[in-house]
Amino acid sequence: MVLQREPAGAVIWGYGTPRATVTVTLCRDQEPIMKKGTRVKADSNTWTVVLDPMKPGGPYEVMAQQTLGRINFTLRVHDVLFGDVWLCSGQSNMKMTVSQVFNATGELSNTAAYQSVRILSVSSTQAQQELEDLAKVDLRWSKPTSKNLGHGNFTYMSAVCWLFGRFLYDTLRYPVGLLSSSWSGTPIEAWSSRRSLEACGVPRSGSMPSDLKIGPSAHSVLWNAMIHPLRNMTLKGVIWYQGESNVNFNRDLYNCTFPLLIDDWRQTFHDGSQGQTERLFPFGFVQLSSYLSGEALHDGLPQIRWHQTADFGYVPNQRMPNTFMAAAVDLCDRNSPFGSIHPRDKQTVAYRLHLGARALAYGEKLIFQGPLPQKIELLADTGLLNLTYSQPIKVQRRDDKIFEVSCCSDHQCKWLPAPMDTFSTQTLALNITSCHDTPAALRYAWTPWPCEYKQCPLYHLTSTLPAPPFIAPITNPSPGYHSRTAK
């Protein structure tokens, strides 16, 4: 396995006989290099030690010896490395295995160089109360192989998790530990503690379309069984891919439930690891891709994408500090054998996630998110809306429908296309002459399927990072604008 490296100390814990002495020894080449002692707690039958911070590398042996009177009992774990440990969670797009993604054969044959990336997969289990330990695992701590990475559809190891860890290893060049704990078709309520759901006022029940719900949806049942038991571990960070099951289920609360899930997980892991996991550890997530859906979901998917950012359109923000996002709005997959809701290009998803991790978790100066407008100005008498972006933009193609303007009169508004007009390095003008009344708001990519694969109109100038969806008010309509345009 992989234990968390410096500056944190890895937490080692287990069960024992009440009041017995436990000594944990870290050995290298059969030579003890660290010893930690403790006693088994009588009330819980558990013991815990925190190792001194270790530099990345290995292998080591961890030995735990319990002594009670003349009775000794020893357990050993071999081939232990120190590096960065990441937890990966969510629903089916996180659950998809390497055998389901593009170029699966090539990906599965490419494991020999990544034997220092260790993987663990938690079994799909649920519980009504918070469990102290995992009920079972699908895959114990293992080295990656074509068999355990490609073990059927939606089983064992997450492809996004594996590919993310592999990209990180290519950059870090030291061990990475990956824990996969996901369940297909599950809403955020199942992954949230009761306290965080109560803080958001989540009702106890709600209706959900059957095509997006195949896993448990009861409050906290996956938090109890698949996340809470991991809380003692020292983690570097978390990545998350979920939201599809909330498109029509407590959707309007997602801008509360998701930020609070992040806050609650952070506090729980910080406390559970005796302060070794950072209080604001890096938390990355995937903004949802496209989905060929019925009319019922037409506005739901864009709203969930927006709520994933706590309605800011970008991260980190004041509601979601130290978070990073991989936009996937341009990674649609019309012909996916698993349905369009399961796009197969998980390599690009993982690559964009790892860019965010490098920026937020490892302090690299790099761009990890596509451009968003910094300023929206109505140019009087021209019929143009001018957008100034915070980054240089690349207009990959013109699109007459992906921007829409909210046109209002007498408290009634309708969304009309705002075709792309002229552009420069950081500005883009939109033609809004179709709005004969007052333009009140602007939105971008606000449909379930905004563009074809990697063919969205706007990207960052020097990268392949798409501009994420946004919705924003137009705050400076000139008083005479609509009457002049109406002529």
Side-chain angles (χ1 to χ4, degrees):
M1 63 170 142
V2 175
L3 296 175
Q4 183 57 41
R5 67 171 179 95
E6 62 180 7
V11 177
I12 308 289
W13 72 282
Y15 293 97
T17 306
R19 292 180 290 278
T21 298
V22 174
T23 304
V24 175
T25 306
L26 186 69
C27 300
R28 183 155 200 181
D29 299 326
Q30 299 183 329
E31 289 292 323
I33 60 171
M34 186 192 310
K35 281 195 177 187
K36 297 284 178 176
T38 188
R39 284 189 180 275
V40 179
K41 296 176 185 174
D43 57 342
S44 62
N45 293 354
T46 62
W47 54 268
T48 307
V49 300
V50 179
L51 300 183
D52 298 335
M54 293 288 296
K55 293 187 182 301
Y60 297 89
E61 180 183 78
V62 177
M63 180 174 68
Q65 185 175 43
Q66 175 182 280
T67 306
L68 186 61
R70 295 182 179 179
I71 303 171
N72 282 348
F73 184 72
T74 303
L75 284 173
R76 290 180 171 87
V77 183
H78 301 278
D79 197 3
V80 175
L81 306 178
F82 285 85
D84 283 338
V85 181
W86 287 82
L87 169 62
C88 313
S89 188
Q91 58 180 115
S92 54
N93 271 304
M94 183 63 87
K95 190 80 172 169
M96 282 177 77
T97 56
V98 180
S99 60
Q100 295 176 268
V101 305
F102 285 139
N103 189 31
T105 305
E107 299 291 2
L108 291 172
S109 66
N110 187 23
T111 60
Y114 296 99
Q115 295 299 291
S116 292
V117 181
R118 305 289 169 82
I119 56 178
L120 178 147
S121 183
V122 176
S123 296
S124 297
T125 52
Q126 50 183 316
Q128 295 302 314
Q129 302 296 328
E130 292 179 341
L131 301 186
E132 295 302 305
D133 199 4
L134 294 172
K136 57 179 179 175
V137 294
D138 284 340
L139 180 68
R140 300 174 66 176
W141 276 113
S142 306
K143 294 181 180 180
T145 66
S146 59
K147 186 175 180 181
N148 60 29
L149 286 176
H151 185 84
N153 295 342
F154 303 106
T155 56
Y156 277 27
M157 194 58 200
S158 157
V160 169
C161 190
W162 162 250
L163 294 165
F164 169 79
R166 205 182 68 187
F167 281 126
L168 273 187
Y169 179 80
D170 287 340
T171 299
L172 301 172
R173 309 308 300 179
Y174 59 69
V176 175
L178 302 169
L179 294 96
S180 177
S181 185
S182 305
W183 194 324
S184 300
T186 49
I188 197 168
E189 290 77 6
W191 296 101
S192 304
S193 70
R194 286 193 173 91
R195 59 184 166 270
S196 65
L197 294 175
E198 288 168 2
C200 289
V202 178
R204 269 289 166 188
S205 61
S207 60
M208 185 188 292
S210 58
D211 62 332
L212 294 181
K213 177 187 176 298
I214 56 173
S217 60
H219 286 194
S220 309
V221 291
L222 306 185
W223 158 263
N224 291 339
M226 298 176 67
I227 301 298
H228 186 265
L230 303 171
R231 73 199 182 286
N232 295 341
M233 296 187 65
T234 311
L235 296 180
K236 178 66 175 180
V238 168
I239 58 171
W240 171 261
Y241 197 157
Q242 190 274 338
E244 298 92 340
S245 287
N246 285 96
V247 168
N248 272 1
F249 185 66
N250 295 331
R251 177 181 66 223
D252 295 338
L253 292 173
Y254 203 88
N255 57 2
C256 178
T257 51
F258 185 39
L260 253 65
L261 175 141
I262 297 172
D263 291 345
D264 191 61
W265 284 28
R266 283 172 166 167
Q267 188 66 58
T268 300
F269 277 89
H270 178 73
D271 294 344
S273 66
Q274 302 186 27
Q276 297 304 309
T277 298
E278 286 183 19
R279 173 63 186 84
L280 290 177
F281 62 72
F283 194 108
F285 65 95
V286 183
Q287 191 180 42
L288 297 187
S289 183
S290 303
Y291 177 36
L292 290 172
S293 60
E295 196 61 35
L297 301 182
H298 184 73
D299 203 40
L301 198 59
Q303 286 187 30
I304 279 288
R305 292 187 190 120
W306 187 244
H307 291 337
Q308 285 182 289
T309 68
D311 301 349
F312 282 81
Y314 61 88
V315 295
N317 58 54
Q318 62 200 55
R319 288 279 311 281
M320 302 171 71
N322 211 33
T323 58
F324 55 95
M325 176 177 83
V329 73
D330 65 333
L331 300 181
C332 50
D333 189 352
R334 195 177 292 272
N335 301 312
S336 172
F338 315 107
S340 65
I341 202 167
H342 297 122
R344 288 166 290 175
D345 182 1
K346 293 299 191 272
Q347 291 90 337
T348 302
V349 169
Y351 179 77
R352 290 173 181 173
L353 276 172
H354 113 282
L355 289 180
R358 285 169 62 183
L360 267 292
Y362 299 100
E364 286 192 52
K365 296 272 190 278
L366 50 77
I367 301 294
F368 67 94
Q369 198 162 236
L372 275 167
Q374 213 168 24
K375 187 164 63 170
I376 301 174
E377 294 175 292
L378 196 59
L379 303 180
D381 303 326
T382 64
L384 295 177
L385 199 60
N386 200 56
L387 280 60
T388 304
Y389 282 83
S390 57
Q391 305 172 359
I393 59 172
K394 177 173 72 175
V395 176
Q396 183 162 278
R397 63 178 183 83
R398 292 178 186 269
D399 190 304
D400 291 342
K401 295 180 180 178
I402 199 162
F403 282 99
E404 296 171 293
V405 62
S406 178
C407 198
C408 301
S409 67
D410 300 328
H411 307 291
Q412 286 192 324
C413 300
K414 58 182 176 181
W415 290 100
L416 299 174
M420 296 166 63
D421 198 291
T422 59
F423 59 89
S424 65
T425 312
Q426 280 189 251
T427 62
L428 174 66
L430 304 176
N431 186 325
I432 58 167
T433 53
S434 62
C435 178
H436 300 307
D437 298 297
T438 304
L442 181 71
R443 66 188 188 183
Y444 172 78
W446 207 264
T447 67
W449 196 281
C451 51
E452 291 305 311
Y453 179 74
K454 291 191 175 178
Q455 289 298 312
C456 279
L458 289 178
Y459 287 81
H460 180 261
L461 180 65
T462 60
S463 73
T464 55
L465 296 172
F470 75 84
I471 187 167
I474 299 171
T475 54
N476 69 328
S478 67
Y481 171 82
H482 58 278
S483 58
R484 289 193 186 97
T485 308
K487 293 175 185 174

